[in-house]
Amino acid sequence: MKTLATHALPRAARQALVKLGADIAVARKKRRISTVSMAERAFISRGTLYRLERGDPSVSIGIYATVLAILGIADRLSQVADRRDDSLGLDIDEDRLPRKVQPRRRARTPS
């Protein structure tokens, strides 16, 4: 069942969440963690875990982060929107640079 949140989500974001959920499911299985165990460790229901592994956008980012931490792969989460890798933002900053740089005027010292 698609929720209102799913319909409002841009296609790229939806696809990214579906991939993230699928990757989480694979990582959980590789570690041989059952859905019951993962849900208990993350303090969520199995239903929420099921929705997370399908990329449901109504699952909070905190739950995604918790599950990633349990899997030992949360370290890259802080890099998702790293400002140093924001090529568009860096381009915008560069466009705002002055065309000419004037030397600074010295402040007059009182006599």
Side-chain angles (χ1 to χ4, degrees), residues 6-73:
T6 303
H7 289 295
L9 212 58
R11 173 184 241 151
R14 178 74 187 125
Q15 290 171 340
L17 280 175
V18 169
K19 181 184 181 314
L20 176 61
D23 290 345
I24 287 171
V26 169
R28 177 185 57 76
K29 291 171 185 175
K30 284 181 176 180
R31 289 160 179 74
R32 302 213 184 280
I33 301 172
S34 70
T35 56
V36 172
S37 178
M38 178 60 83
E40 286 175 356
R41 291 167 71 181
F43 300 102
I44 59 176
S45 69
R46 283 178 66 204
T48 299
L49 180 62
Y50 176 83
R51 290 183 6 251
L52 177 145
E53 290 185 352
R54 271 136 198 83
D56 187 329
S58 68
V59 175
S60 81
I61 192 167
I63 293 173
Y64 277 98
T66 298
V67 170
L68 289 168
I70 291 167
L71 294 169
I73 53 177

Side-chain angles (χ1 to χ4, degrees), residues 43-109:
F43 300 102
I44 59 176
S45 69
R46 283 178 66 204
T48 299
L49 180 62
Y50 176 83
R51 290 183 6 251
L52 177 145
E53 290 185 352
R54 271 136 198 83
D56 187 329
S58 68
V59 175
S60 81
I61 192 167
I63 293 173
Y64 277 98
T66 298
V67 170
L68 289 168
I70 291 167
L71 294 169
I73 53 177
D75 55 326
R76 293 176 298 195
L77 187 58
S78 65
Q79 301 303 310
V80 170
D82 189 326
R83 64 181 167 259
R84 293 170 294 194
D85 294 329
D86 179 9
S87 58
L88 177 58
L90 294 170
D91 287 346
I92 290 169
D93 281 348
E94 193 170 308
D95 288 344
R96 291 181 183 158
L97 290 175
R99 300 210 189 282
K100 282 185 162 182
V101 177
Q102 300 293 329
R104 289 188 179 189
R105 293 183 180 180
R106 288 189 192 176
R108 290 186 176 180
T109 54

